[in-house]
């Protein structure tokens, strides 16, 4: 299948994206407008381009925090959600579990509930207008310490809304080991809040074990260093603990993978691990979800039926109810049959 045909076809197949940071979907145009209010140098598009290029996870986090700092009023979140809606539509994504990291905002005086009010209004609107479902996972963050993470969980528990479904542990993996956050994740588990954690992105396989055993993480964000530990691969496969793999993000941060052809996703897939494909931060990594599928198809030896399975894995790994998962998967199969070019020979 050629590139044009592939993109046209994949746009029509309903997809889920389950590892996606809301701030990472801001368009360069919106980022430029917001940043240049305080930093006029960002009126220059070259400086915006430079902001979105980095060599490691630390530099990336620095850029991410600068974007967060550029939010000045609640209407900025509305602009962000307009960008999110555009991104989801462009990629044929019908369901997403979206991270939001409130720590820096709250530190700067924003009220958690005020931000969530705007989010939920926009989520409702997008669902009505575009038929796209968005759920929120609060990233409690390794970077801002344990007390702050607990405050984030408490804010979530107090706010209570069916569209805010879980907590995640993101931020600097090397500085914030899982064991420090165990009591927060135990409390979340007891309260029936879903749990995910970035692990094995910037640290070795032990970090993945810790996310599973100490944080009760139901999915692993990235998890690519698991490839170094055969018993971990076996465990992930046996327990069907999903990996939220973000191939291009891993190449940008350059910790375990230097080029797409060397990404371990195919090996995980072959060994029966429940792998999903995601973009992490589309604007920061200059990537769309369909681009990731195209890369898998052209550079990593996945055929079309593998890609269909990975699309199905996205729904399977989500926190949707069993009934809803089945409904979406049925739709994938149906659209696949309907739109797969008749003359396709792979
Ligand atoms: Zn992430």
């Amino acid at each position: 299948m050629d590139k044009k045909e592939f993109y046209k076809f994949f746009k029509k197949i309903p997809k889920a994206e389950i590892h996606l940071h809301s701030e990472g979907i801001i368009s360069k145009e919106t980022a430029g407008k917001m940043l240049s209010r305080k930093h006029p140098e960002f009126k220059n598009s070259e400086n915006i381009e430079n902001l979105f290029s980095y060599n490691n996870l630390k530099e990336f986090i620095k850029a991410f925090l600068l974007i967060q700092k550029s939010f000045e009023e609640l209407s900025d979140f509305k602009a962000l959600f307009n960008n999110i809606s555009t991104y989801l539509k462009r990629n044929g994504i019908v369901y997403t579990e979206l991270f939001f990291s409130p720590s820096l905002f709250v530190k700067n005086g924003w009220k958690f509930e005020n931000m969530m009010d705007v989010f939920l209004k926009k989520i409702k609107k997008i669902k009505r207008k575009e038929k796209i479902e968005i759920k929120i996972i609060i990233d409690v963050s390794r970077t801002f310490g344990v007390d702050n993470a607990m405050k984030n969980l408490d804010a979530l528990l107090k706010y209570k809304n069916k569209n805010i479904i879980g907590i995640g542990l993101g931020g600097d993996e090397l500085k914030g080991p899982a064991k420090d956050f165990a009591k927060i994740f135990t409390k979340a588990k007891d309260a029936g809040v879903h749990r995910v954690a970035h692990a094995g992105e910037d640290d070795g396989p032990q970090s993945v074990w810790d996310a599973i055993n100490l944080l009760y993480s139901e999915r692993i964000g990235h998890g690519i260093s698991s490839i170094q530990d055969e018993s971990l691969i076996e465990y992930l496969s046996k327990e069907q603990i999903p990996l939220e793999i973000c191939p291009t993000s891993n190449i940008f941060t350059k910790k375990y993978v230097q080029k797409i052809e060397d990404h371990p996703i195919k090996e995980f897939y072959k060994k029966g691990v429940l792998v999903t494909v995601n973009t992490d931060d589309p604007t920061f990594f200059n990537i769309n979800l369909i681009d990731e599928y195209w890369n898998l198809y052209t550079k990593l030896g996945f055929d079309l039926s593998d890609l269909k399975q990975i699309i199905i894995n996205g729904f399977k790994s989500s926190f949707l109810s069993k009934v809803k998962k089945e409904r979406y998967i049925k739709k994938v199969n149906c659209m696949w049959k309907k739109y797969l070019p008749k003359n396709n020979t792979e």
Side-chain angles (χ1 to χ4, degrees):
M1 198 182 279
D2 70 22
K3 191 169 182 178
K4 205 173 151 206
E5 211 170 25
F6 183 96
Y7 275 73
K8 200 174 150 212
F9 173 51
F10 269 71
K11 193 178 171 185
K12 287 181 181 146
I13 306 302
K15 287 175 284 306
E17 184 159 8
I18 55 173
H19 189 117
L20 188 59
H21 296 264
S22 45
E23 305 92 315
I25 315 172
I26 192 165
S27 72
K28 286 180 181 169
E29 197 193 344
T30 306
K33 266 187 205 157
M34 281 167 41
L35 280 164
S36 59
R37 291 182 296 209
K38 268 198 193 126
H39 311 276
E41 67 270 26
F42 287 116
K43 282 195 173 122
N44 180 338
S45 62
E46 211 174 294
N47 289 332
I48 288 285
E49 291 298 330
N50 287 341
L51 176 72
F52 289 110
S53 66
Y54 6 72
N55 290 308
N56 53 47
L57 190 61
K58 231 185 208 137
E59 282 179 26
F60 159 74
I61 290 175
K62 210 172 132 199
F64 194 86
L65 293 177
L66 187 63
I67 290 291
Q68 284 194 324
K69 278 186 208 154
S70 73
F71 282 75
E72 288 180 11
E73 42 204 79
L74 281 170
S75 63
D76 291 345
F77 288 108
K78 289 187 189 163
L80 174 66
F81 268 87
N82 291 340
N83 293 162
I84 290 171
S85 175
T86 305
Y87 167 80
L88 297 171
K89 263 194 296 183
R90 187 167 67 231
N91 286 281
I93 297 163
V94 295
Y95 176 77
T96 184
E97 289 169 4
L98 202 58
F99 288 119
F100 174 61
S101 312
S103 303
L104 190 70
F105 293 105
V106 173
K107 264 196 170 27
N108 289 340
W110 294 82
K111 289 240 175 323
F112 181 83
E113 56 273 27
N114 292 349
M115 293 187 287
M116 287 306 113
D117 287 348
V118 176
F119 276 38
L120 295 170
K121 253 189 212 150
K122 288 300 273 185
I123 286 174
K124 233 181 179 173
K125 229 180 179 173
I126 292 170
K127 189 172 178 188
R128 203 176 54 227
K129 224 176 126 203
E130 313 293 348
K131 310 260 179 300
I132 297 172
E133 268 191 278
I134 302 174
K135 304 282 179 194
I136 301 290
I137 294 177
I138 298 297
D139 169 20
V140 298
S141 184
R142 299 175 191 263
T143 310
F144 293 86
V146 178
D147 292 345
N148 172 74
M150 188 60 100
K151 269 186 207 150
N152 283 329
L153 172 61
D154 288 339
L156 177 157
L157 293 175
K158 195 173 150 212
Y159 191 83
K160 247 193 212 150
N161 183 285
K162 66 173 176 19
N163 289 320
I164 309 173
I165 56 169
I167 58 167
L169 193 61
D172 196 333
E173 191 181 350
L174 293 168
K175 269 198 189 149
K179 66 172 178 1
D180 294 354
F181 297 87
K183 64 175 182 217
I184 294 137
F185 279 71
T186 306
K187 186 173 175 179
K189 183 175 174 262
D190 292 343
V193 170
H194 287 295
R195 294 129 349 251
V196 295
H198 288 60
E201 175 189 21
D202 206 32
D203 201 359
Q206 187 56 45
S207 174
V208 177
W209 281 118
D210 289 349
I212 297 167
N213 294 326
L214 306 177
L215 305 179
Y216 311 101
S217 190
E218 295 162 88
R219 297 194 301 246
I220 302 296
H222 300 280
I224 53 167
S225 70
S226 311
I227 205 71
Q228 300 166 10
D229 181 343
E230 201 57 47
S231 63
L232 178 55
I233 298 174
E234 254 170 53
Y235 186 81
L236 292 169
S237 167
K238 190 173 135 258
E239 297 297 324
Q240 290 287 283
I241 298 173
L243 294 187
E244 305 155 2
I245 295 203
C246 312
T248 300
S249 166
N250 299 146
I251 313 289
F252 258 88
T253 50
K254 292 192 178 73
K255 180 70 188 247
Y256 292 108
V257 195
Q258 307 303 318
K259 57 182 200 298
I260 189 82
E261 289 80 1
D262 297 336
H263 201 287
I265 181 168
K266 190 73 193 274
E267 210 171 326
F268 285 127
Y269 181 77
K270 275 199 288 196
K271 289 183 169 164
V273 178
L274 189 56
V275 291
T276 65
V277 167
N278 309 274
T279 58
D280 214 2
D281 301 279
T283 305
F284 284 78
F285 301 129
N286 202 18
I287 190 88
N288 276 287
L289 186 61
I290 300 179
D291 300 329
E292 298 283 18
Y293 281 98
W294 175 249
N295 286 338
L296 259 53
Y297 183 59
T298 53
K299 294 180 180 142
L300 282 157
F302 284 86
D303 65 20
L304 288 175
S305 66
D306 296 329
L307 297 184
K308 182 177 155 208
Q309 185 57 52
I310 290 181
I311 290 175
I312 289 171
N313 288 354
F315 290 107
K316 230 170 143 180
S317 308
S318 73
F319 294 128
L320 283 164
S321 69
K322 199 171 166 251
V323 174
K324 275 201 157 178
K325 281 183 191 182
E326 280 167 6
R327 204 177 296 155
Y328 274 123
I329 292 169
K330 204 172 156 193
K331 192 95 190 266
V332 172
N333 284 318
C334 183
M335 293 292 129
W336 192 273
K337 226 177 180 173
K338 186 169 175 190
Y339 291 112
L340 181 70
K342 297 285 172 274
N343 58 354
N344 174 61
T345 50
E346 278 280 334

